[in-house]
Amino acid sequence: MSETYHNYVDGEWVESETGETFENRNPADRSDVIGEFQQSSEADAEAAVEAAAAATDEWANTPGPERGAILREASKNLEARKDELTETLVREEGKARPEAAGEVQRAIDIFSYYGAKASDIGGDVKSSSSQDTTLYTKNEPIGVAGLITPWNYPIAIPAWKIAPALATGTTIAFKPASLAPNVARKLVECLDEAGLPDGALNFVTGPGSSVGATLSTHEEVDAVSFTGSSAVGETVGDQANETGKRVQLEMGGKNPVVVMDSADVDEAVDIAASGAFGVTGQACTACSRAIVHEDLYDEFVEGVVEAAESIDIGPGLDGADMGPHVSESELDGTLEYIDIGSNEGATLETGGEEVDAGDGFFVSPAVFSDVEPDMRIAQEEIFGPVLSVIPVSSYDEALEVSNGVRYGLSASIVTQDLSEAHNFVEDSESGVVKVNEKTTGLELHVPFGGMKDSSSETYREQGDAGLDFYTLSKTVYLNY
């Protein structure tokens, strides 16, 4: 019989007031039940928010170095449990083991980083135009943050929201994705064991319609940070804006790799394929469009097809290169887009078929050629291992195609032409721009966020920018 896990509210592990639970299963082996989690209600979410609100004074008045020490201790706790957390992540989300281990290490590093940054949070001293006056700014925590996180990076994304919030003295009500709540629960355990005060962090599982909506609208919540689909993000943003909250939304992407005629084809294939098929294409920064100069087009298609066909598909716990989709609905969505692409007239060069690799949601990575920029497979986020290869004849045409979507999260160009590289950095309508690198992969100490429908374009995450969202600046004039 599977274990039942609880919410974490005001320093206690508690059952939902509904008395109901939902089941979480391994997407690579549907017979493997990971556990039962609380099917929480609006009342449970309210309790989490109220606990966070009650803890604001204590946590805000805790000195920054002391807050930082707790975060660093949490990092050590995560490090001690790295193998366990990696296996948990593989088992509930489906990632290949090296991908999961990298994500867990990212969470470890994030808590270590913000543990150090907590000692620097203060303000700036400025020169006053008056004599006998000290002029300075003072950064204060915003209050209570409602955090809503996705299933595709179920420990890294919670980490890069939770760590800067706690570093600033902000308290938290946190809802993880229902498809991957267990590794997030273990993250909360590590923070609890590090000595976090009761109420500073509260964890509630359950539906977005009840838990998520409450975090977005509750009068005691001062800021809402959401990562997920554009459709849900728009709803969260509308709810939060109606009640005057600070809002941070990071949403979808339709990320291109532009391959110019000066590129090394083998390098371009590796960059595009790793960005498109890594983590089963289930990343907001995944490459889903390869925009390739016509002089290299045929050679590139041949290379990327070979790369796709070389990927070993199967359960991550068995050492496969690419794991399953996280759910049946995600698999069905990818298969539907395979049909859409074929019906639109694109050529399916390889893949796009269900794979019998156990009792799970496996699909072979797909490559489409002869793709037109206005086709749905070239415009809409698929969130699966599907790469559309689009031919172009010039840099200007490549740029037009690259920017010709509603999203603007990550973009890359592969070129040996310095002018093209610099121009693309300036011209790309994306929050993350890379040269001769894959669209996925982020440094934790620099800002991350998108443009257009990929983001609310308000506050960035990670680095110093990650702290800004959770603080208010007060300007002080001290005349002595």
Side-chain angles (χ1 to χ4, degrees), residues 255-266:
N255 312 294
V257 167
V258 172
V259 181
M260 296 309 300
D261 55 347
S262 64
D264 179 276
V265 174
D266 291 339

Side-chain angles (χ1 to χ4, degrees), residues 167-182:
T168 66
T170 295
T171 60
I172 296 166
F174 163 43
K175 178 193 131 43
S178 295
L179 286 170
N182 201 29

Side-chain angles (χ1 to χ4, degrees), residues 254 272-273 275-278 280-281 287-290 300-301 304-311 313 322 325 333-339 341-342 346-355 362-369 371 377 382-389:
K254 194 65 181 173
F277 307 135
T280 320
C287 169
S288 60
R289 295 180 295 151
F300 177 89
V301 170
V304 82
V305 166
E306 182 179 346
E309 292 177 346
S310 71
I311 293 172
I313 303 163
M322 192 178 89
H325 273 297
T334 293
L335 295 174
E336 181 180 354
Y337 272 107
I338 299 300
D339 289 339
S342 298
T347 300
L348 180 60
E349 297 282 352
T350 190
E353 299 176 339
E354 288 191 70
V355 174
F362 299 98
V363 66
S364 54
V367 176
F368 278 101
S369 65
V371 178
I377 58 169
I382 298 175
F383 226 66
V386 180
L387 180 64
S388 296
V389 190

Side-chain angles (χ1 to χ4, degrees), residues 77-125:
N77 293 342
L78 291 166
E79 180 72 53
R81 298 173 65 175
K82 182 177 179 180
D83 290 344
E84 171 200 347
L85 293 167
T86 297
E87 183 158 333
T88 298
L89 179 48
V90 173
R91 191 173 159 217
E92 76 169 346
E93 197 274 343
K95 280 185 171 72
R97 189 181 289 273
E99 295 168 342
E103 181 179 344
V104 172
Q105 186 62 51
R106 179 57 169 262
I108 294 166
D109 294 342
I110 286 169
F111 276 94
S112 177
Y113 172 81
Y114 282 110
K117 296 295 289 185
S119 297
D120 293 334
I121 298 169
D124 298 310
V125 177

